Amino acid sequence: MLDTSPRRYRRAAVSLAAAGALVLTAVVAAPASGFTNSTEGTDVCDSFLGAGDNFAEYCITEEAVNDTAATYAIPGVDEISSSPNIELIANIPKFGGFASEAAYNSDLAFQGNYVIAGNYQGFSVFDVSTPSSPQVVSQVVCPGSQGDPSIFGDLLFLAVDAPRSDDSCSSASGSAAQETSWEGVRIFDISDKANPQYIKSVRTDCGSHTLTLAPDKAGTDVYVYVQSYGPSNGAFYCKPPHDKISIIKVPLDNPTSAAVVTTPVLFPGTTGNTSTSGCHDITTYPELDLAAGACMGDGVLMDISDRENPVIISQVRDTNFAFWHSATFNNAGTKVIFTDELGGGSGAICTSSYRTNQGANAIYDIVGSGADRELVFKSYYKIPRLNTTLENCVAHNGSLIPAMGRDIMVQAWYQGGISVIDFTDSANPVEIAYWERGPLSDTRRILGGAWSTYYHNGYIYSNDIQKGFDVLKLDDPRTNNARAVAFDELNVQTQPSYPACTTVITSRVNGGLDVKSGVTCLDGASVNGATKVAPGAGLLIFNSNLNGSITATGAAVVSIVESKVNGSVNAPGATVRDTKVNGSVKI
């Protein structure tokens, strides 16, 4: 981060005017308060300090800017810069119907060894059985920005946020003013990944900028929360006010009967910020019946125990935020990271003209219980590197890395690249890895960079708007143990839980190990003696040596990954992967 301590140097007043028109959306982000013109030649920062206000936070020392530039050389066009603990192991450039500059890559969804990569023109399916050599399985050209995908079983849901002449994949651009135009959600059957079938469309008001799944508890239906915004009096299906979301109910035994069942107004009356006209993104945590909404001018925490009737239980605003974009819970559901998409994704926010907490993350703790839970601000985080003025850069989509006993997230920052953040201490987030490409051009600003960057089953996958599909390997002792956790299916905005370590052991244990409750995690440990896990308790083993048998009948979870066991394993339902067992195995 830049050093903002007072010094006897001229300081640069930071311009907030670059919010501009949102290229990827239909809304204009208003400049934050405290805007100053840094070209006037006067040291307005001194007057800010003299006024005793918070406006001085918009100023950074010129020396601090120079220090940052001296310690970090901005990579040139097509050059790569990274920390030593992360590397690119594969890239598939945009191809086929998505090869053009205007065909933006967007979000990602995962199922087993398959990755669904969204694009403004449709989606691609990749087989990542060998992550260092991903294979193209299929590409479906079905235009209609912005192509955010989510998977549930054999169903793929794709967001369409631009009026089309009809709902078909051969449709042309339409007019929002026309009743015959269509935008909303497309549903595909992807049981055959090589030949996805388009089976249903559902029109939603203002289309579907993003979408989020919320499976019901009975396992019979999945709900699709549709986020959209940008109402206009001239739009037939998108007239103001629009402080709502659309909820689609999809019966799993008859998905072609999917339909909008309710459109709850989240901000009735005047309770929403004046710039709020819907939500940009909602992340659900179905297991905890929680959701976090990034609703343009507001950040909200919701109770979704009734899937058709989400209820706001905490609502926050931040004058430092221009556009509440997305949200990520920690695994325990006690924190939320919100992102601010200042400049709409097209602005060059990672330059010396902006403060270190503009276009950043805001980390909130969730305190209290039940309906009395509240979001409490703890800190900001922004990548500590400068970009050129030709690189769009701002906080964007990321996911948790299921590291043992820590809260760690990997995140996309458009042309700011990829950042891995440890936010175990909510008030003091720390970057532990980064990777980025240089600008796409040294003469013009081309919209590009990492749109979504997610961790899945041992690797980082990133969808770069222009450069294509990336696979990266993170090699760090703080995160390697995350390989002990694997998901069959992952939609990042439908957040799953993973076993939470109540005890982490990294040393030698003599005399055996008796896990009576909670989840014990071994990372680089050794156990001399038998290991027993009581019913309902859990055991995660990574990169460890166990000299003795493992017995875990009725355990909540047992995962043994990249380890050695000199003895038998009797653990029904356990996962044993990349592990040598010298003894009988009963799983």
Side-chain angles (χ1 to χ4, degrees):
M1 292 297 185
L2 298 181
D3 179 5
T4 57
S5 58
R7 298 181 184 178
R8 291 186 179 180
Y9 297 95
R10 183 175 64 84
R11 286 156 293 175
V14 176
S15 169
L16 305 185
L22 303 187
V23 170
L24 303 185
T25 65
V27 179
V28 175
S33 60
F35 163 73
T36 61
N37 186 345
S38 62
T39 64
E40 292 178 351
T42 59
D43 192 353
V44 293
C45 295
D46 282 339
S47 63
F48 283 167
L49 287 168
D53 208 330
N54 291 327
F55 291 142
E57 292 179 7
Y58 291 88
C59 302
I60 57 178
T61 66
E62 183 177 274
E63 184 199 37
V65 173
N66 293 336
D67 286 349
T68 299
T71 57
Y72 178 76
I74 298 174
V77 174
D78 283 337
E79 291 181 350
I80 290 175
S81 176
S82 74
S83 55
N85 55 352
I86 189 170
E87 64 173 332
L88 180 72
I89 62 171
N91 167 261
I92 297 182
K94 294 198 300 183
F95 62 96
F98 306 164
S100 73
E101 184 179 304
Y104 302 146
N105 276 340
S106 57
D107 210 358
L108 298 169
F110 304 84
Q111 188 176 76
N113 289 321
Y114 295 98
V115 181
I116 309 296
N119 183 281
Y120 272 45
Q121 300 299 310
F123 64 93
S124 298
V125 181
F126 297 102
D127 183 337
V128 294
S129 300
T130 304
S132 60
S133 181
Q135 302 297 309
V136 176
V137 177
S138 59
Q139 183 179 85
V140 175
V141 177
C142 196
S145 69
Q146 69 185 39
D148 277 12
S150 284
I151 298 175
F152 194 87
D154 290 336
L155 301 177
L156 171 68
F157 302 90
L158 203 68
V160 179
D161 191 34
R164 308 296 300 175
S165 58
D166 56 62
D167 63 353
S168 72
C169 288
S170 59
S171 64
S173 295
S175 168
Q178 298 298 316
E179 182 179 4
T180 55
S181 290
W182 178 91
E183 57 183 325
V185 176
R186 290 175 172 141
I187 305 176
F188 293 82
D189 182 330
I190 58 167
S191 53
D192 180 358
K193 300 292 191 299
N195 188 31
Q197 299 296 308
Y198 182 17
I199 62 172
K200 176 70 174 179
S201 70
V202 181
R203 184 198 303 275
T204 55
D205 291 348
C206 297
S208 175
H209 191 72
T210 59
L211 56 80
T212 305
L213 304 186
D216 75 343
K217 298 175 183 178
T220 59
D221 305 294
V222 61
Y223 290 92
V224 185
Y225 288 7
V226 178
Q227 293 81 236
S228 56
Y229 54 94
S232 167
N233 286 320
F236 192 89
Y237 295 104
C238 188
K239 296 184 183 297
H242 185 75
D243 284 337
K244 64 182 183 181
I245 61 173
S246 295
I247 299 180
I248 299 172
K249 182 178 182 179
V250 185
L252 296 176
D253 61 355
N254 185 19
T256 57
S257 67
V260 174
V261 292
T262 183
T263 55
V265 176
L266 298 182
F267 304 102
T270 58
T271 61
N273 188 288
T274 55
S275 64
T276 298
S277 61
C279 292
H280 180 278
D281 213 335
I282 290 174
T283 293
T284 61
Y285 201 149
E287 185 177 324
L288 299 182
D289 287 334
L290 281 178
C295 299
M296 303 173 66
D298 298 81
V300 299
L301 183 68
M302 291 180 279
D303 182 328
I304 59 167
S305 52
D306 179 351
R307 298 292 193 256
E308 296 185 15
N309 183 35
V311 177
I312 292 178
I313 56 179
S314 183
Q315 182 175 345
V316 291
R317 296 173 188 164
D318 185 343
T319 56
N320 181 59
F321 260 41
F323 190 88
W324 294 71
H325 176 272
S326 54
T328 301
F329 288 99
N330 69 334
N331 186 53
T334 57
K335 304 174 188 176
V336 181
I337 291 183
F338 288 102
T339 65
D340 175 19
E341 196 182 44
L342 172 63
S346 64
I349 309 304
C350 302
T351 68
S352 59
S353 296
Y354 289 85
R355 287 179 294 110
T356 55
N357 58 5
Q358 282 184 275
N361 297 333
I363 302 173
Y364 285 79
D365 281 354
I366 300 174
V367 300
S369 61
D372 294 326
R373 283 171 287 189
E374 294 183 349
L375 293 165
V376 176
F377 174 79
K378 301 300 291 185
S379 66
Y380 294 112
Y381 170 82
K382 185 176 180 179
I383 57 172
R385 286 169 299 286
L386 298 179
N387 281 183
T388 71
T389 57
L390 296 178
E391 294 175 277
N392 57 300
C393 172
V394 75
H396 214 237
N397 295 340
S399 76
L400 295 183
I401 297 177
M404 293 179 177
R406 305 197 69 79
D407 293 326
I408 297 180
M409 176 182 181
V410 60
Q411 185 179 7
W413 290 77
Y414 289 116
Q415 289 194 70
I418 294 166
S419 180
V420 181
I421 312 150
D422 186 331
F423 63 105
T424 306
D425 180 352
S426 306
N428 295 286
V430 178
E431 182 176 74
I432 63 173
Y434 75 90
W435 185 93
E436 72 162 314
R437 292 183 171 96
L440 292 165
S441 170
D442 55 10
T443 59
R444 66 187 180 102
R445 186 183 300 171
I446 301 171
L447 188 69
W451 177 293
S452 292
T453 302
Y454 301 144
Y455 179 94
H456 181 62
N457 296 353
Y459 295 86
I460 292 171
Y461 298 91
S462 186
N463 215 15
D464 188 288
I465 296 171
Q466 300 297 348
K467 291 294 188 178
F469 179 65
D470 292 326
V471 186
L472 300 99
K473 183 68 178 289
L474 177 64
D475 185 4
D476 189 283
R478 291 162 290 191
T479 58
N480 287 343
N481 55 41
R483 297 201 291 271
V485 175
F487 294 106
D488 293 331
E489 193 169 89
L490 177 65
N491 302 294
V492 169
Q493 287 76 30
T494 305
Q495 201 162 313
S497 67
Y498 51 85
C501 302
T502 51
T503 301
V504 178
I505 298 174
T506 59
S507 57
R508 180 187 298 273
V509 177
N510 292 318
L513 180 64
D514 192 3
V515 182
K516 297 181 179 180
S517 62
V519 177
T520 293
C521 299
L522 307 182
D523 179 15
S526 62
V527 177
N528 294 316
T531 296
K532 299 178 182 179
V533 184
L539 177 67
L540 301 185
I541 302 172
F542 176 77
N543 188 33
S544 297
N545 294 315
L546 284 83
N547 296 307
S549 62
I550 299 176
T551 305
T553 302
V557 61
V558 175
S559 179
I560 309 170
V561 176
E562 299 180 31
S563 296
K564 295 180 181 179
V565 180
N566 293 315
S568 62
V569 175
N570 181 7
T575 296
V576 179
R577 188 172 69 251
D578 300 325
T579 291
K580 183 177 181 180
V581 180
N582 295 318
S584 62
V585 177
K586 183 180 179 181
I587 57 174

